Amino acid sequence: MSRKLLPLTFGIVLAVTLRLGAGGWAVVTLDTLPESVVGSTPVRLSFTVRQHGQTLMDGLQPKVVAVAGKDQVASVAQPAGQTGRYVATLTFPHSANWVITVDSGFGVNSQLTLLPLPVVAEASNPAAAQTAVGRGLRLFVAKGCVTCHQNSLESGNTSLGLAPALVARKYEDGHLASILLRPEAVLTRSQQPAGAMPNLGLQPDEVTALVAFINNVATGIGSR
């Protein structure tokens, strides 16, 4: 690295460091994202909370709120028995597209709003099947990726802009899948100046959908 680049590099790292340390923020990650649920049936939603996207946090009092038009249901989440994991139970009174927001209880920029969840009248009449790209878009939001990565999804969430923007085909599918499965083994420190990408324990089908979305991000934004 040339001497001319050193001040610029140091300035970027310093700015990111100051932003990370300025106030508390946390990333909410939903464990499992249902494609649809049945109304009037209790639904358990479990999730983790990571301070600065890294450290799993106990001792919080998260709240989960779902809204459809003028109707609202809410639940106070309880510890789920593992560090940083919580669970809330919601019962949707009728079929509609419900917007769920998980407030971690850890200050500003520490909540997550999911894309609308279809609630159907009965299991025999499920919502329309999602494409891999559409499923990946929903997972990108539900897993909390939307919190750190720069994006223009208009998901109702504020991106902190600490991680790279979505760029289709930046990595080929196999390499991108490896990053999502085991970021700690694939990404170098220089590729993550704002901090290490956490291993979210993604399932293979989730990785497949996320790869489909990220590498087709232009079309994915219209696949809600």
Side-chain angles (χ1 to χ4, degrees):
M1 181 183 292
S2 69
R3 292 184 178 180
K4 291 182 179 180
L5 290 177
L6 283 174
L8 177 60
T9 302
F10 175 76
I12 292 172
V13 173
L14 178 61
V16 169
T17 302
L18 289 173
R19 188 171 182 182
L20 283 169
W25 58 272
V27 177
V28 174
T29 300
L30 206 68
D31 287 343
T32 303
L33 177 66
E35 292 196 16
S36 64
V37 298
V38 179
S40 302
T41 302
V43 177
R44 286 169 56 89
L45 294 177
S46 61
F47 55 91
T48 55
V49 180
R50 289 178 172 83
Q51 183 179 14
H52 295 169
Q54 298 292 322
T55 306
L56 290 164
M57 302 184 67
D58 280 336
L60 300 177
Q61 294 181 316
K63 183 178 180 180
V64 181
V65 177
V67 176
K70 296 181 179 180
D71 295 324
Q72 176 177 300
V73 294
S75 175
V76 176
Q78 302 297 324
Q82 294 173 291
T83 302
R85 179 165 278 107
Y86 302 85
V87 62
T89 301
L90 295 174
T91 301
F92 302 95
H94 60 80
S95 57
N97 288 327
W98 290 77
V99 176
I100 299 172
T101 297
V102 181
D103 185 341
S104 72
F106 187 69
V108 183
N109 294 324
S110 299
Q111 65 180 32
L112 179 70
T113 297
L114 306 180
L115 295 179
L117 174 68
V119 175
V120 299
E122 51 190 34
S124 60
N125 186 28
Q130 298 172 2
T131 65
V133 173
R135 173 74 172 162
L137 166 60
R138 291 175 175 275
L139 284 167
F140 186 83
V141 174
K143 294 298 180 180
C145 314
V146 70
T147 303
C148 292
H149 284 272
Q150 303 168 43
N151 66 85
S152 57
L153 300 183
E154 298 182 358
S155 64
N157 296 283
T158 300
S159 169
L160 298 175
L162 300 173
L166 298 184
V167 178
R169 303 295 169 184
K170 180 178 180 179
Y171 301 110
E172 56 88 18
D173 289 359
H175 186 65
L176 180 55
S178 296
I179 292 174
L180 294 172
L181 280 170
R182 295 189 63 206
E184 72 281 4
V186 179
L187 295 175
T188 64
R189 186 171 182 178
S190 63
Q191 291 175 292
Q192 308 171 88
M197 175 177 167
N199 187 327
L200 300 180
L202 297 171
Q203 298 301 307
D205 65 303
E206 295 175 328
V207 171
T208 298
L210 282 165
V211 168
F213 164 64
I214 295 170
N215 273 345
N216 297 277
V217 65
T219 57
I221 292 176
S223 301
R224 302 186 188 188

